[in-house]
Amino acid sequence: NDGSPTMTPTMSVTPTATSTAPSTLYIYKFLCPEGYNPGAMGANPETDCAPPQDGVQFNITGQTNGYTSQSNTGDSINGAVMFGGIEPDTYHVKETLPPNTDAVFSPQCVVANVGEPPSSAIFPVVSASGEADIVVPGGVEITCHWFNVPRAGSSDLTVHKQNCDVEAYVDDSSCTPNTTGVTFEVYRKD
């Protein structure tokens, strides 16, 4: 350990506002591979999913203060949106989902007092429509990583035809490519 505090997620799911100072909410947007399962053994969306994604719209609405704002990832921060100077409140966050999005998730958001290392975590429940409510206390910075999983079904198929001079195929060493007079038909099975 380098002496800096470490963050261990605890049951602090809903931080309590102890300050009326403005806060900042950052949302970093990532695109995962088709069919990605964040619950699979060894899954790590921070490394498995593509770099942050620009051009995705987010809207926030304060539930009691009436504040509303819209921003696109990449407007001010590469792959992220920033909502700064927001008052303590519960904010409804809505992502405008890119076409063919199958799933949306955010494993956790880290919370830090302004200018300090993260001290707690919140765990937003993001709906399939890309919406979540996030409690924002006063005087903090909240950083969330949101992930989209595209719908499977737009994959490529490559077929290689080989002529092999053996009775039982073992490997390609006794085969030559056959590229003339070969036709393949591919059908979708519903």
Side-chain angles (χ1 to χ4, degrees):
N1 188 333
D2 63 1
S4 62
T6 57
M7 184 191 69
T8 304
T10 63
M11 293 305 293
S12 59
V13 174
T14 306
T16 303
T18 58
S19 168
T20 59
S23 294
T24 303
L25 172 62
Y26 299 94
I27 301 173
Y28 286 84
K29 186 71 212 159
F30 298 88
L31 181 65
C32 297
E34 286 184 4
Y36 183 75
N37 178 359
M41 182 86 119
N44 182 350
E46 298 291 331
T47 58
D48 298 340
C49 299
Q53 184 180 22
D54 285 339
V56 179
Q57 180 179 315
F58 282 86
N59 295 289
I60 67 167
T61 304
Q63 288 186 354
T64 59
N65 65 18
Y67 176 86
T68 63
S69 187
Q70 176 271 317
S71 185
N72 291 342
T73 55
D75 282 355
S76 59
I77 300 172
N78 184 36
V81 293
M82 178 188 82
F83 299 100
I86 58 177
E87 297 175 5
D89 199 352
T90 298
Y91 288 88
H92 184 76
V93 177
K94 180 171 180 16
E95 173 189 2
T96 301
L97 295 178
N100 298 319
T101 299
D102 190 42
V104 184
F105 65 95
S106 178
Q108 73 175 13
C109 301
V110 293
V111 181
N113 290 324
V114 175
E116 296 182 16
S119 58
S120 64
I122 57 175
F123 304 91
V125 177
V126 182
S127 72
S129 60
E131 300 178 53
D133 291 327
I134 298 178
V135 176
V136 178
V140 299
E141 293 178 341
I142 299 177
T143 302
C144 302
H145 288 185
W146 284 43
F147 299 87
N148 285 358
V149 179
R151 184 172 294 119
S154 58
S155 301
D156 293 329
L157 172 68
T158 303
V159 178
H160 297 277
K161 171 70 174 156
Q162 302 275 338
N163 287 334
C164 302
D165 295 328
V166 293
E167 274 202 31
Y169 176 83
V170 176
D171 61 36
D172 288 345
S173 64
S174 60
C175 302
T176 57
N178 180 352
T179 58
T180 59
V182 177
T183 304
F184 293 94
E185 292 183 18
V186 178
Y187 297 93
R188 178 179 171 173
K189 183 178 179 182
D190 290 325

